Amino acid sequence: MQLNTLLVQIGVGVDTTTGSISMPIYQTATFRHPALGQSTGFDYSRTNNPTRKVLEDGLAILEGGCRGLAFASGMAAITAILYLFRPGDHLLVCEDLYGGTYRLLNHVAVNYGLKFSLVDTTDLKAVKEAIQDNTKAIFLETPTNPLMKITDIAAIAALAKEHGLLTIVDNTFMTPYLQRPLELGADLVVHSATKYLGGHNDVVLGAVVSSREDLAERLAFIQNTVGAVPGPQDCWLVIRGLKTLAVRLDRAQANAFYLARWLASHPLVTKVYYPGLPDHPGHEVVLRQARGFGAMLSFEVARHELVEQILSRVKVISFAESLGGVESLITFPERQTHAEIPEELRRKIGINDRLLRLSVGLEDPSDLQADLEQALG
Ligand SMILES: *Cc1c(COP(=O)(O)O)cnc(C)c1O
């Protein structure tokens, strides 16, 4: 079956007691045992819950993995992955990493002996040279946030396999509708479902999908033991969001393409970062490994003062953190999402005080253009 059909059908037919089309929200902490040594398959909602299970099974199918696991947030999902490692283990992570992941590694994980290095994962040679004896995994985002750099997932996964490392891909920006890293050789995919999967800026949730049974088992143990699980209502919101993922992304992507082209021709815009533009350095790779370019774009304006002007003047587009919802949002990475990244690194990778990031939503593209036009004014 096609992915867009699978998306719409998530949870349909699961509730055989009533035939409910919408998966019910099992708002319960615990489940009655039929008898000693017997279980309905559900014992306690930290361990498993029927609504959460529909979401987890759905995500596993969509990403082409053997098991999906839901967490209280994207950060909780990434934290669970870090529990796979031991003190002294070393991770290679992509350079323009989500600020929260950088903060987790740099301020929390290091206190437990986990080591990491930042590397430009678009440069295979640099990645190879950065591998140490204690390196255990490569963690990457593609496109990166906010500079939309594209990493060749298959090439990294092949290199990782050669050296016995795990490949972990944060697939938040693309979603399985556009990009399926497990099929390209990755071992784990992680999501902030807060973004496109939920899609309506109304829920915080995270997920991991594994392509390997052994890793899935360890992660399920960690999920239950650490306990950073989402509640059933939040799982239901993401199930509902997933049903429209394909149509939302098609529309958002078309809007992003339209705005990227228009911004590229604007005299006050000096740079546009969007993988769909043919002059984007990762254009060929993204064409090869993904079904689309996504709906995130960043752009640089001619002067810093324009940043403040745009952020205070936008009306249709909201000046707010986050991304991937139906409403368009604009952020200033330098002082928001990426404030945690050291200034020297921000400069090196191209984040500066003239860069804005746009999460393009589903509004009419002409209204989004008009809003930016008056804001740039
Ligand atoms: C938002 C985000 C996260 C963190 O997810 P939360 O749900 O906010 O905890 C991780 N990675 C990326 C790429 C994100 O955009």
Side-chain angles (χ1 to χ4, degrees):
M1 231 182 283
Q2 297 296 312
L3 208 70
N4 46 1
T5 307
L6 293 170
L7 282 163
V8 172
Q9 294 285 327
I10 286 178
V12 176
V14 174
D15 181 38
T16 49
T17 348
T18 65
S20 167
I21 287 289
S22 165
M23 181 59 193
I25 301 170
Y26 279 83
Q27 193 69 53
T28 183
T30 190
F31 302 83
R32 205 153 82 153
H33 304 303
L36 188 65
Q38 289 181 21
S39 164
T40 58
F42 298 96
D43 304 312
Y44 185 64
S45 278
R46 169 159 40 74
T47 316
N48 204 355
N49 172 283
T51 314
R52 192 175 99 204
K53 188 171 186 322
V54 163
L55 173 62
E56 294 182 330
D57 291 350
L59 288 171
I61 291 168
L62 299 175
E63 285 286 6
C66 67
R67 183 151 181 190
L69 295 163
F71 292 88
S73 67
M75 292 321 302
I78 295 169
T79 302
I81 289 175
L82 296 187
Y83 279 117
L84 291 171
F85 304 101
R86 307 184 147 272
D89 285 354
H90 173 255
L91 309 180
L92 287 176
V93 300
C94 69
E95 260 178 359
D96 55 348
L97 192 66
Y98 174 69
T101 308
Y102 181 81
R103 182 172 57 199
L104 174 64
L105 288 166
N106 199 40
H107 290 292
V108 179
V110 289
N111 297 332
Y112 297 86
L114 207 63
K115 313 225 178 307
F116 73 99
S117 316
L118 297 162
V119 60
D120 179 0
T121 50
T122 67
D123 179 352
L124 209 59
K125 192 161 157 276
V127 176
K128 206 167 180 170
E129 282 166 5
I131 297 173
Q132 305 175 7
D133 290 343
N134 56 343
T135 305
K136 293 289 190 290
I138 304 175
F139 183 106
L140 62 94
E141 298 170 21
T142 180
T144 56
N145 177 8
L147 293 165
M148 309 295 147
K149 284 192 194 152
I150 303 295
T151 291
D152 185 333
I153 300 172
I156 291 285
L159 178 70
K161 279 216 168 64
E162 219 177 278
H163 291 81
L165 319 178
L166 294 181
T167 303
I168 305 160
V169 178
D170 183 333
N171 204 25
T172 299
F173 269 37
M174 290 297 248
T175 85
Y177 178 58
L178 297 178
Q179 175 171 283
R180 311 215 312 159
L182 300 182
E183 283 179 353
L184 299 167
D187 302 288
L188 297 173
V189 161
V190 61
H191 276 282
S192 170
T194 312
K195 316 295 167 53
Y196 289 102
L197 303 184
H200 294 74
N201 292 319
D202 56 8
V203 61
V204 172
L205 195 139
V208 179
V209 181
S210 173
S211 69
R212 275 170 47 181
E213 205 59 69
D214 60 329
L215 290 175
E217 225 165 89
R218 285 169 67 200
L219 282 163
F221 178 81
I222 291 165
Q223 180 197 38
N224 183 42
T225 303
V226 178
V229 292
Q233 173 139 8
D234 286 350
C235 292
W236 184 85
L237 281 167
V238 176
I239 292 168
R240 186 165 75 167
L242 281 171
K243 288 171 182 280
T244 55
L245 179 69
V247 275
R248 282 189 286 109
L249 265 174
D250 285 345
R251 171 63 178 266
Q253 182 171 262
N255 282 356
F257 223 128
Y258 176 86
L259 289 180
R261 284 208 191 92
W262 172 72
L263 283 166
S265 69
H266 197 286
L268 292 174
V269 174
T270 47
K271 244 186 214 160
V272 177
Y273 298 93
Y274 184 63
L277 296 177
D279 62 351
H280 184 283
H283 186 67
E284 295 300 320
V285 178
V286 81
L287 274 178
R288 199 163 66 229
Q289 73 182 11
R291 274 176 41 168
F293 309 109
M296 294 298 300
L297 66 88
S298 296
F299 62 100
E300 218 175 78
V301 289
R303 299 182 303 278
H304 172 66
E305 303 78 73
L306 282 167
V307 167
E308 283 175 41
Q309 179 184 312
I310 291 166
L311 295 178
S312 63
R313 278 193 194 171
V314 281
K315 292 191 186 77
V316 179
I317 301 167
S318 294
F319 171 30
E321 284 185 47
S322 201
L323 61 109
V326 291
E327 301 91 355
S328 294
L329 306 180
I330 193 163
T331 49
F332 182 38
E334 168 86 356
R335 278 212 240 127
Q336 293 181 288
T337 49
H338 291 69
E340 284 294 330
I341 311 267
E343 185 174 351
E344 192 191 338
L345 180 61
R346 286 201 304 260
R347 293 297 166 269
K348 181 187 166 217
I349 61 186
I351 300 173
N352 58 37
D353 68 355
R354 291 179 292 119
L355 185 79
L356 288 163
R357 188 192 76 184
L358 194 59
S359 168
V360 183
L362 311 192
E363 300 90 347
D364 195 274
S366 64
D367 288 326
L368 295 174
Q369 178 185 341
D371 198 31
L372 286 169
E373 199 149 32
Q374 64 82 22
L376 272 157

